Amino acid sequence: MARILLTSRLPDDALSPIVGHELVMPSSGVPLTTDEVADLARDVDAIVCQLTDRITEAVLACASRLAVVATVSVGYDNLDVEAATRAGVAVCNTPGVLDDTTADLAFALILAASRLLSDSERDLRNGGWTDWRFDGYLGQDVHGATLGLVGYGRIGRAVARRAEGFSMRVLHHARRPTGLQGCVVELDDLLRQADVVSLHVPLTPETRHLIDTRRLALMKPTAVLVNTARGPVVDEEALGAALESGRLFAAGLDVYEHEPTVHPRLLAAPRTVLLPHIGSASFATRTAMARLATSAVAEVLAGGRPPNTVNPEVFGD
Ligand code: NAP
Ligand code: GLV
């Protein structure tokens, strides 16, 4: 029997793969600090964590028994994967099971930002809708527009499938040319052409502030930017300035540079839809993610090599 730290409560349906092991769970529902995770990690064999938990080199250094960390997220920028590999710790994530749910949310943001749903609903709730105006709340059409996907992996492609139903022209850019229809080799070219830009890259040193002042200036003044990837992919200060000046038409954001803090310039910006990182937040998908993470932990503890290991080299040949 191994000891497994769960940094937050998981749905009962997700616990069956790890039945029989000793589960260590914090009693409060509040996210743990990094120091608390480090402390609890000292005598466990596995950790099931969330994207808010920072599994740093210092945490790993405390965890002499640790064999595996599974984050209940597809993004794994919260973990120091290189340090884990050096320590012989497998790192697992949850690819695939959240693609459609996250793509649904990205598409909801494309529609909501393009058609000014937040501004118009806010005015209605505040009693600001006093008369119907022919030229009130004019937005941008989504149907027939050109969608530029930055990152064309699982979620980017799921968004592309939805765009077909809206008769959109779909372009994409990835690290390497995909050879597929709609591929734009240079990101700057995609930004110049797109009416809607939707971000689907992981957060890496290369993608930090990928969308900065210079690149925002390449976009059409009628364009809409949607970010369901990771906050630091966009320079928020630059985005706030572009929205204030009207240099960019609108933005739909699910993720932020310093979550849960939202840049005050974005909170005040016009034509901006802001959501609290809910891309994968459906009952079914969150349960599937948690189950994929616990299954990976069980497999590693049983001597297996789960396919959702991001550092498979840790298992040797
Ligand atoms: P994925 O299948 O790995 O796709 C990522 C894509 O980004 C790939 O096409 C990849 O190219 C490309 N890419 C990587 N680095 C790049 C760069 N420097 N420039 C251009 N393209 C680059 O990942 P996914 O499952 O679609 O998830 C994408 C991200 O979405 C996750 O990492 C996570 O941060 C975020 N996410 C957020 C939510 C939410 O709740 N808002 C939910 C799920 C996921 P290669 O194929 O060449 O690597
Ligand atoms: C959510 O943001 C994820 O990476 O799964």
Side-chain angles (χ1 to χ4, degrees):
M1 183 173 71
R3 268 170 71 80
I4 304 173
L5 168 63
L6 308 183
T7 64
S8 66
R9 283 195 179 282
L10 299 179
D12 289 346
D13 284 355
L15 298 180
S16 45
I18 49 175
V19 164
H21 293 296
E22 183 188 350
L23 305 186
V24 179
M25 285 185 273
S27 47
S28 84
V30 216
L32 298 173
T33 64
T34 304
D35 284 347
E36 287 169 334
V37 174
D39 198 37
L40 289 165
R42 280 178 206 287
D43 56 355
V44 298
D45 306 284
I47 301 176
V48 181
C49 70
Q50 300 294 336
L51 57 83
T52 45
D53 298 313
R54 303 272 144 209
I55 308 296
T56 60
E57 184 159 24
V59 171
L60 292 161
C62 296
S64 53
R65 275 169 57 175
L66 196 63
V68 53
V69 182
T71 184
V72 190
S73 58
V74 67
Y76 50 87
D77 47 280
N78 53 322
L79 290 125
D80 187 334
V81 179
E82 282 179 19
T85 307
R86 282 195 299 277
V89 174
V91 173
C92 302
N93 67 341
T94 62
V97 293
L98 42 46
D99 301 350
D100 285 318
T101 301
T102 308
D104 286 349
L105 198 276
F107 219 86
L109 279 174
I110 290 171
L111 290 165
S114 301
R115 296 295 304 276
L116 307 179
L117 299 199
S118 281
D119 285 6
S120 51
E121 190 194 18
R122 186 199 54 225
D123 288 356
L124 180 151
R125 287 182 186 275
N126 291 343
W129 185 40
T130 49
D131 52 0
W132 184 88
R133 289 182 185 222
F134 177 68
D135 60 353
Y137 304 112
L138 301 186
Q140 308 292 344
D141 277 327
V142 172
H143 69 270
T146 296
L147 172 64
L149 297 167
V150 181
Y152 200 54
R154 291 171 292 255
I155 298 171
R157 288 170 203 232
V159 175
R161 291 196 291 276
R162 283 150 180 78
E164 279 176 32
F166 280 75
S167 308
M168 297 181 91
R169 173 178 168 238
V170 182
L171 305 176
H172 65 266
H173 166 82
R175 257 195 305 202
R176 291 173 288 272
T178 59
L180 299 169
Q181 191 183 359
C183 179
V184 180
V185 175
E186 296 298 333
L187 173 58
D188 290 3
D189 290 339
L190 177 140
L191 296 175
R192 285 189 191 95
Q193 292 182 58
D195 298 307
V196 178
V197 173
S198 190
L199 305 177
H200 301 287
V201 290
L203 176 61
T204 64
E206 293 72 40
T207 63
R208 189 172 289 274
H209 285 196
L210 189 69
I211 304 298
D212 57 7
T213 302
R214 184 188 72 78
R215 288 208 162 106
L216 286 166
L218 298 176
M219 293 173 67
K220 300 179 187 182
T222 49
V224 173
L225 177 70
V226 168
N227 188 8
T228 57
R230 281 289 182 270
V233 175
V234 176
D235 178 343
E236 291 184 341
E237 182 72 26
L239 176 60
L243 289 161
E244 278 165 24
S245 67
R247 181 63 204 77
L248 186 73
F249 182 72
L253 307 175
D254 186 43
V255 288
Y256 306 89
E257 284 198 74
H258 305 289
E259 296 179 9
T261 302
V262 179
H263 196 299
R265 231 168 155 169
L266 292 177
L267 286 170
R271 305 176 306 284
T272 304
V273 181
L274 302 174
L275 301 178
H277 202 149
I278 57 168
S280 66
S282 75
F283 289 107
T285 293
R286 285 282 165 85
T287 301
M289 291 165 69
R291 199 180 164 93
L292 186 55
T294 55
S295 300
V297 160
E299 197 172 338
V300 173
L301 292 175
R305 302 173 174 207
N308 51 322
T309 306
V310 301
N311 59 346
E313 63 274 23
V314 81
F315 298 126
D317 295 326

